[in-house]
Amino acid sequence: MKIFAIGMNYAQHNKELDGTLYKPETPVVFTKADSALLKDRKPFFVPDFMGRIDYEAELVVRISRLGKCISQRFAHRYYDAVTVGIDFTARDLQQKLRAEGLPWELCKGFDGSAALGDWLPIERFRSVDALHFHLDQNGKTVQEGCTSDLLFKVDELIAYISRFFTLKTGDLIYTGTPAGAGPVAIGDHLEGYLEDQKVLEVRCK
């Protein structure tokens, strides 16, 4: 099982990071270690040696069949379910790595950094390109997004990633986070919603 994640895929989030409504020329793809996966509503243990840790709520897509060099027009055949996940990010470390032009694995792929909600079948929704999701922190909504605002849509991401990596059943794609990312603290209660259904719950310890 591979975990792919997409950086800088919402313009307003890019403005938060860099002050500009920036669109990359191609998707910004990075991977997370399999030990990053946090599911079944297990707690997130905040690493106390990494500085500020931010939540980044995202729509996550589950790959359902083997594929390589997938055409964008056929990409919809390669996923069967979606949910909300959190790409936990060591923000202080990320800023340091970005400034030095270094890879992101340490700030993005550490243990427990890929929280994953309960899957909902794609057939439940009219379009994967019009899904609303939001994240609550201690009962208050802190992030809201819609996949219609993705700079690179789901099918584009699958076509692009599959040029470089063979996609296999069970692989995950974290599609990017909207504006509103912020820090977590021990004791926080995070809840993720896809449309009106709660699919994700994480307690920070």
Side-chain angles (χ1 to χ4, degrees), residues 144-186:
E144 296 180 84
C146 182
T147 54
S148 62
D149 295 324
L150 285 169
L151 297 176
F152 299 98
K153 306 296 193 224
V154 171
D155 290 357
E156 292 179 82
L157 296 175
I158 288 173
Y160 184 77
I161 293 170
S162 69
R163 291 167 56 190
F164 303 91
F165 301 92
T166 297
L167 294 177
K168 297 182 178 181
T169 301
D171 286 350
L172 309 178
I173 301 176
Y174 284 65
T175 58
T177 195
V184 298
I186 292 173

Side-chain angles (χ1 to χ4, degrees), residues 24-147:
E25 291 185 10
T26 58
V28 177
V29 180
F30 58 95
T31 60
K32 288 174 173 275
D34 57 3
S35 59
L37 194 62
L38 184 71
K39 59 182 182 177
D40 302 325
R41 309 203 175 195
K42 292 180 180 176
F44 172 64
F45 291 94
V46 182
D48 57 7
F49 65 95
M50 296 181 73
R52 171 173 161 169
I53 305 295
D54 281 5
Y55 57 78
E56 294 188 3
E58 317 198 359
L59 182 86
V60 185
V61 176
R62 183 176 71 190
I63 299 299
S64 59
R65 58 190 291 193
L66 184 73
K68 172 72 174 172
C69 295
I70 301 164
S71 168
Q72 184 175 326
R73 67 193 179 108
F74 296 129
H76 66 279
R77 300 178 180 176
Y78 287 83
Y79 53 93
D80 65 351
V82 290
T83 191
V84 174
I86 300 175
D87 168 22
F88 285 110
T89 302
R91 189 69 71 201
D92 296 336
L93 180 56
Q94 184 190 36
Q95 291 173 348
K96 180 177 183 294
L97 294 172
R98 290 184 72 189
E100 297 175 3
L102 297 174
W104 289 6
E105 274 75 10
L106 290 180
C107 68
K108 288 282 196 177
F110 58 91
D111 286 358
S113 62
L116 187 68
D118 302 326
W119 294 110
L120 298 179
I122 201 71
E123 294 82 9
R124 181 177 297 194
F125 306 103
R126 181 178 59 83
S127 172
V128 73
D129 293 328
L131 293 177
H132 293 83
F133 61 95
H134 70 272
L135 181 73
D136 289 358
Q137 182 181 37
N138 303 323
K140 178 183 177 183
T141 299
V142 289
Q143 265 192 302
E144 296 180 84
C146 182
T147 54

